[in-house]
mmCIF file of all heavy atoms in Angstrom:
data_model
loop_
_atom_site.group_PDB
_atom_site.id
_atom_site.type_symbol
_atom_site.label_atom_id
_atom_site.label_comp_id
_atom_site.label_asym_id
_atom_site.label_seq_id
_atom_site.Cartn_x
_atom_site.Cartn_y
_atom_site.Cartn_z
ATOM 1 N N SER A 1 -6.334 -12.861 -4.546
ATOM 2 C CA SER A 1 -5.293 -13.865 -4.385
ATOM 3 C C SER A 1 -4.016 -13.409 -5.070
ATOM 4 O O SER A 1 -4.053 -12.842 -6.157
ATOM 5 C CB SER A 1 -5.719 -15.206 -4.993
ATOM 6 O OG SER A 1 -6.882 -15.670 -4.405
ATOM 7 N N LYS A 2 -2.881 -13.672 -4.417
ATOM 8 C CA LYS A 2 -1.567 -13.479 -5.027
ATOM 9 C C LYS A 2 -0.945 -14.859 -5.116
ATOM 10 O O LYS A 2 -0.652 -15.483 -4.104
ATOM 11 C CB LYS A 2 -0.709 -12.556 -4.173
ATOM 12 C CG LYS A 2 -1.213 -11.144 -4.158
ATOM 13 C CD LYS A 2 -0.222 -10.221 -3.541
ATOM 14 C CE LYS A 2 -0.747 -8.803 -3.632
ATOM 15 N NZ LYS A 2 0.246 -7.830 -3.230
ATOM 16 N N LEU A 3 -0.785 -15.329 -6.359
ATOM 17 C CA LEU A 3 -0.373 -16.713 -6.570
ATOM 18 C C LEU A 3 0.887 -16.830 -7.409
ATOM 19 O O LEU A 3 1.084 -17.803 -8.122
ATOM 20 C CB LEU A 3 -1.511 -17.493 -7.242
ATOM 21 C CG LEU A 3 -2.812 -17.541 -6.455
ATOM 22 C CD1 LEU A 3 -3.901 -18.179 -7.286
ATOM 23 C CD2 LEU A 3 -2.612 -18.305 -5.166
ATOM 24 N N GLY A 4 1.759 -15.837 -7.343
ATOM 25 C CA GLY A 4 3.021 -15.917 -8.064
ATOM 26 C C GLY A 4 2.977 -15.376 -9.477
ATOM 27 O O GLY A 4 3.981 -15.418 -10.177
ATOM 28 N N PHE A 5 1.840 -14.869 -9.919
ATOM 29 C CA PHE A 5 1.757 -14.252 -11.230
ATOM 30 C C PHE A 5 2.175 -12.792 -11.113
ATOM 31 O O PHE A 5 2.350 -12.257 -10.022
ATOM 32 C CB PHE A 5 0.331 -14.351 -11.788
ATOM 33 C CG PHE A 5 -0.166 -15.755 -11.959
ATOM 34 C CD1 PHE A 5 -1.274 -16.195 -11.263
ATOM 35 C CD2 PHE A 5 0.486 -16.642 -12.796
ATOM 36 C CE1 PHE A 5 -1.736 -17.482 -11.409
ATOM 37 C CE2 PHE A 5 0.036 -17.935 -12.957
ATOM 38 C CZ PHE A 5 -1.074 -18.358 -12.261
ATOM 39 N N SER A 6 2.314 -12.104 -12.246
ATOM 40 C CA SER A 6 2.715 -10.703 -12.221
ATOM 41 C C SER A 6 1.594 -9.793 -11.729
ATOM 42 O O SER A 6 1.823 -8.632 -11.422
ATOM 43 C CB SER A 6 3.152 -10.260 -13.620
ATOM 44 O OG SER A 6 2.075 -10.383 -14.524
ATOM 45 N N HIS A 7 0.378 -10.312 -11.648
ATOM 46 C CA HIS A 7 -0.771 -9.527 -11.202
ATOM 47 C C HIS A 7 -1.574 -10.341 -10.193
ATOM 48 O O HIS A 7 -1.482 -11.565 -10.152
ATOM 49 C CB HIS A 7 -1.662 -9.178 -12.401
ATOM 50 C CG HIS A 7 -2.170 -10.387 -13.122
ATOM 51 N ND1 HIS A 7 -1.374 -11.141 -13.962
ATOM 52 C CD2 HIS A 7 -3.370 -11.005 -13.102
ATOM 53 C CE1 HIS A 7 -2.071 -12.157 -14.434
ATOM 54 N NE2 HIS A 7 -3.291 -12.105 -13.924
ATOM 55 N N GLY A 8 -2.333 -9.666 -9.360
ATOM 56 C CA GLY A 8 -3.202 -10.347 -8.409
ATOM 57 C C GLY A 8 -4.462 -10.855 -9.098
ATOM 58 O O GLY A 8 -4.879 -10.334 -10.127
ATOM 59 N N ILE A 9 -5.079 -11.867 -8.524
ATOM 60 C CA ILE A 9 -6.289 -12.444 -9.085
ATOM 61 C C ILE A 9 -7.470 -12.015 -8.218
ATOM 62 O O ILE A 9 -7.434 -12.179 -7.002
ATOM 63 C CB ILE A 9 -6.189 -13.978 -9.145
ATOM 64 C CG1 ILE A 9 -5.058 -14.373 -10.079
ATOM 65 C CG2 ILE A 9 -7.500 -14.589 -9.592
ATOM 66 C CD1 ILE A 9 -4.756 -15.830 -10.087
ATOM 67 N N ARG A 10 -8.503 -11.461 -8.854
ATOM 68 C CA ARG A 10 -9.689 -10.988 -8.148
ATOM 69 C C ARG A 10 -10.882 -11.787 -8.644
ATOM 70 O O ARG A 10 -11.167 -11.798 -9.837
ATOM 71 C CB ARG A 10 -9.884 -9.508 -8.426
ATOM 72 C CG ARG A 10 -11.060 -8.909 -7.756
ATOM 73 C CD ARG A 10 -11.119 -7.434 -8.059
ATOM 74 N NE ARG A 10 -12.365 -6.916 -7.534
ATOM 75 C CZ ARG A 10 -13.099 -6.012 -8.124
ATOM 76 N NH1 ARG A 10 -12.713 -5.495 -9.258
ATOM 77 N NH2 ARG A 10 -14.222 -5.610 -7.583
ATOM 78 N N LEU A 11 -11.565 -12.469 -7.737
ATOM 79 C CA LEU A 11 -12.715 -13.285 -8.094
ATOM 80 C C LEU A 11 -13.969 -12.749 -7.416
ATOM 81 O O LEU A 11 -13.966 -12.504 -6.211
ATOM 82 C CB LEU A 11 -12.503 -14.739 -7.668
ATOM 83 C CG LEU A 11 -11.385 -15.503 -8.368
ATOM 84 C CD1 LEU A 11 -11.184 -16.840 -7.703
ATOM 85 C CD2 LEU A 11 -11.721 -15.687 -9.812
ATOM 86 N N GLN A 12 -15.027 -12.576 -8.198
ATOM 87 C CA GLN A 12 -16.321 -12.161 -7.655
ATOM 88 C C GLN A 12 -17.044 -13.409 -7.155
ATOM 89 O O GLN A 12 -17.226 -14.363 -7.901
ATOM 90 C CB GLN A 12 -17.138 -11.457 -8.739
ATOM 91 C CG GLN A 12 -18.449 -10.908 -8.255
ATOM 92 C CD GLN A 12 -18.261 -9.684 -7.386
ATOM 93 O OE1 GLN A 12 -17.331 -8.922 -7.570
ATOM 94 N NE2 GLN A 12 -19.145 -9.505 -6.438
ATOM 95 N N VAL A 13 -17.448 -13.401 -5.905
ATOM 96 C CA VAL A 13 -18.105 -14.556 -5.301
ATOM 97 C C VAL A 13 -19.599 -14.476 -5.585
ATOM 98 O O VAL A 13 -20.198 -13.402 -5.519
ATOM 99 C CB VAL A 13 -17.840 -14.572 -3.776
ATOM 100 C CG1 VAL A 13 -18.473 -15.781 -3.138
ATOM 101 C CG2 VAL A 13 -16.354 -14.540 -3.501
ATOM 102 N N THR A 14 -20.210 -15.628 -5.904
ATOM 103 C CA THR A 14 -21.658 -15.650 -6.139
ATOM 104 C C THR A 14 -22.397 -15.308 -4.840
ATOM 105 O O THR A 14 -21.885 -15.558 -3.745
ATOM 106 C CB THR A 14 -22.098 -17.031 -6.644
ATOM 107 O OG1 THR A 14 -21.714 -18.017 -5.704
ATOM 108 C CG2 THR A 14 -21.465 -17.342 -7.985
ATOM 109 N N PRO A 15 -23.610 -14.749 -4.917
ATOM 110 C CA PRO A 15 -24.316 -14.305 -3.710
ATOM 111 C C PRO A 15 -24.644 -15.425 -2.716
ATOM 112 O O PRO A 15 -24.769 -15.170 -1.527
ATOM 113 C CB PRO A 15 -25.600 -13.686 -4.251
ATOM 114 C CG PRO A 15 -25.321 -13.353 -5.658
ATOM 115 C CD PRO A 15 -24.301 -14.333 -6.136
ATOM 116 N N SER A 16 -24.781 -16.650 -3.165
ATOM 117 C CA SER A 16 -25.142 -17.735 -2.250
ATOM 118 C C SER A 16 -23.925 -18.360 -1.558
ATOM 119 O O SER A 16 -24.080 -19.260 -0.745
ATOM 120 C CB SER A 16 -25.905 -18.818 -3.013
ATOM 121 O OG SER A 16 -25.094 -19.350 -4.033
ATOM 122 N N VAL A 17 -22.717 -17.874 -1.853
ATOM 123 C CA VAL A 17 -21.483 -18.426 -1.270
ATOM 124 C C VAL A 17 -20.796 -17.343 -0.456
ATOM 125 O O VAL A 17 -20.728 -16.191 -0.872
ATOM 126 C CB VAL A 17 -20.537 -18.939 -2.382
ATOM 127 C CG1 VAL A 17 -19.244 -19.462 -1.794
ATOM 128 C CG2 VAL A 17 -21.214 -20.012 -3.208
ATOM 129 N N ARG A 18 -20.299 -17.702 0.722
ATOM 130 C CA ARG A 18 -19.519 -16.780 1.560
ATOM 131 C C ARG A 18 -18.089 -17.290 1.609
ATOM 132 O O ARG A 18 -17.863 -18.492 1.728
ATOM 133 C CB ARG A 18 -20.079 -16.740 2.977
ATOM 134 C CG ARG A 18 -21.505 -16.274 3.086
ATOM 135 C CD ARG A 18 -21.610 -14.799 2.995
ATOM 136 N NE ARG A 18 -20.794 -14.198 4.038
ATOM 137 C CZ ARG A 18 -21.024 -13.066 4.617
ATOM 138 N NH1 ARG A 18 -22.068 -12.382 4.272
ATOM 139 N NH2 ARG A 18 -20.231 -12.581 5.533
ATOM 140 N N VAL A 19 -17.136 -16.384 1.542
ATOM 141 C CA VAL A 19 -15.725 -16.757 1.555
ATOM 142 C C VAL A 19 -15.043 -16.018 2.697
ATOM 143 O O VAL A 19 -15.229 -14.811 2.864
ATOM 144 C CB VAL A 19 -15.048 -16.401 0.210
ATOM 145 C CG1 VAL A 19 -13.583 -16.727 0.249
ATOM 146 C CG2 VAL A 19 -15.715 -17.128 -0.921
ATOM 147 N N PHE A 20 -14.267 -16.751 3.486
ATOM 148 C CA PHE A 20 -13.512 -16.173 4.602
ATOM 149 C C PHE A 20 -12.072 -16.626 4.503
ATOM 150 O O PHE A 20 -11.796 -17.746 4.088
ATOM 151 C CB PHE A 20 -14.083 -16.635 5.947
ATOM 152 C CG PHE A 20 -15.539 -16.312 6.128
ATOM 153 C CD1 PHE A 20 -16.499 -17.294 5.980
ATOM 154 C CD2 PHE A 20 -15.937 -15.032 6.435
ATOM 155 C CE1 PHE A 20 -17.838 -17.014 6.145
ATOM 156 C CE2 PHE A 20 -17.282 -14.735 6.598
ATOM 157 C CZ PHE A 20 -18.230 -15.729 6.459
ATOM 158 N N CYS A 21 -11.168 -15.756 4.902
ATOM 159 C CA CYS A 21 -9.745 -16.105 4.987
ATOM 160 C C CYS A 21 -9.312 -15.867 6.426
ATOM 161 O O CYS A 21 -9.042 -14.739 6.826
ATOM 162 C CB CYS A 21 -8.912 -15.262 4.041
ATOM 163 S SG CYS A 21 -9.205 -15.614 2.327
ATOM 164 N N SER A 22 -9.249 -16.942 7.212
ATOM 165 C CA SER A 22 -8.836 -16.795 8.602
ATOM 166 C C SER A 22 -7.326 -16.605 8.706
ATOM 167 O O SER A 22 -6.837 -15.950 9.613
ATOM 168 C CB SER A 22 -9.279 -18.004 9.422
ATOM 169 O OG SER A 22 -8.797 -19.196 8.839
ATOM 170 N N LYS A 23 -6.585 -17.180 7.783
ATOM 171 C CA LYS A 23 -5.138 -16.998 7.681
ATOM 172 C C LYS A 23 -4.835 -16.628 6.235
ATOM 173 O O LYS A 23 -5.653 -16.886 5.352
ATOM 174 C CB LYS A 23 -4.412 -18.303 8.019
ATOM 175 C CG LYS A 23 -4.591 -18.772 9.433
ATOM 176 C CD LYS A 23 -3.813 -20.066 9.619
ATOM 177 C CE LYS A 23 -4.031 -20.630 10.999
ATOM 178 N NZ LYS A 23 -3.348 -21.923 11.157
ATOM 179 N N PRO A 24 -3.664 -16.063 5.957
ATOM 180 C CA PRO A 24 -3.356 -15.718 4.558
ATOM 181 C C PRO A 24 -3.248 -16.927 3.631
ATOM 182 O O PRO A 24 -3.354 -16.791 2.425
ATOM 183 C CB PRO A 24 -2.014 -15.005 4.651
ATOM 184 C CG PRO A 24 -1.899 -14.551 6.045
ATOM 185 C CD PRO A 24 -2.682 -15.510 6.877
ATOM 186 N N ASN A 25 -3.045 -18.126 4.178
ATOM 187 C CA ASN A 25 -2.916 -19.311 3.330
ATOM 188 C C ASN A 25 -4.085 -20.283 3.492
ATOM 189 O O ASN A 25 -3.975 -21.438 3.119
ATOM 190 C CB ASN A 25 -1.604 -20.029 3.617
ATOM 191 C CG ASN A 25 -1.533 -20.570 5.024
ATOM 192 O OD1 ASN A 25 -2.315 -20.184 5.884
ATOM 193 N ND2 ASN A 25 -0.612 -21.457 5.260
ATOM 194 N N LEU A 26 -5.213 -19.817 4.038
ATOM 195 C CA LEU A 26 -6.365 -20.685 4.264
ATOM 196 C C LEU A 26 -7.626 -19.986 3.762
ATOM 197 O O LEU A 26 -7.938 -18.880 4.184
ATOM 198 C CB LEU A 26 -6.488 -20.998 5.755
ATOM 199 C CG LEU A 26 -7.482 -22.061 6.157
ATOM 200 C CD1 LEU A 26 -7.041 -23.413 5.625
ATOM 201 C CD2 LEU A 26 -7.588 -22.124 7.663
#
């Protein structure tokens, strides 16, 4: 994620959760 900070945010997703980004803001 790029949320206006000086660095990007990287999150490790737990194995039981799936994450998708169909659009850059969704």
Side-chain angles (χ1 to χ4, degrees):
S1 301
K2 292 191 177 188
L3 300 173
F5 300 118
S6 62
H7 59 284
I9 297 173
R10 180 178 173 218
L11 294 172
Q12 184 73 31
V13 182
T14 57
S16 61
V17 178
R18 299 281 303 210
V19 177
F20 303 103
C21 292
S22 55
K23 296 180 184 176
N25 64 344
L26 190 66

